[in-house]
Amino acid sequence: MQRMMKFFSDVAREMKKVSWPKRKELVRYTITVLTTVAFMTVFFAIVDLGISSLIRLVLE
């Protein structure tokens, strides 16, 4: 039990040292991540469609 209390005490102390992003930075990072995820989703969907079409062409 003592080790667990020390662990949580250490976690709380380390969390006070963390440099949290400001609101403006957080919004910018969130937009960057969402844009990247959307781009990658579209990219892999197009690649998947292309490969699927190519395989259908080969098998027919």
Side-chain angles (χ1 to χ4, degrees), residues 34-48:
L34 292 177
T35 303
T36 303
V37 168
F39 173 77
M40 296 302 286
T41 300
V42 170
F43 174 76
F44 283 114
I46 291 170
V47 169
D48 182 52

Side-chain angles (χ1 to χ4, degrees), residues 47-57:
V47 169
D48 182 52
L49 285 172
I51 291 173
S52 296
S53 297
L54 186 63
I55 289 174
R56 267 191 234 107
L57 263 154

Side-chain angles (χ1 to χ4, degrees), residues 2-19:
Q2 185 68 21
R3 287 177 54 193
M4 192 181 335
M5 294 302 292
K6 180 170 176 8
F7 171 76
F8 285 116
S9 172
D10 290 344
V11 168
R13 187 177 16 201
E14 287 298 320
M15 291 299 285
K16 291 177 184 175
K17 296 178 186 178
V18 173
S19 173

Side-chain angles (χ1 to χ4, degrees), residues 20-33:
W20 298 102
K22 304 291 184 234
R23 182 177 180 86
K24 188 175 181 180
E25 291 173 321
L26 187 61
V27 169
R28 189 173 67 222
Y29 296 155
T30 302
I31 290 171
T32 301
V33 168

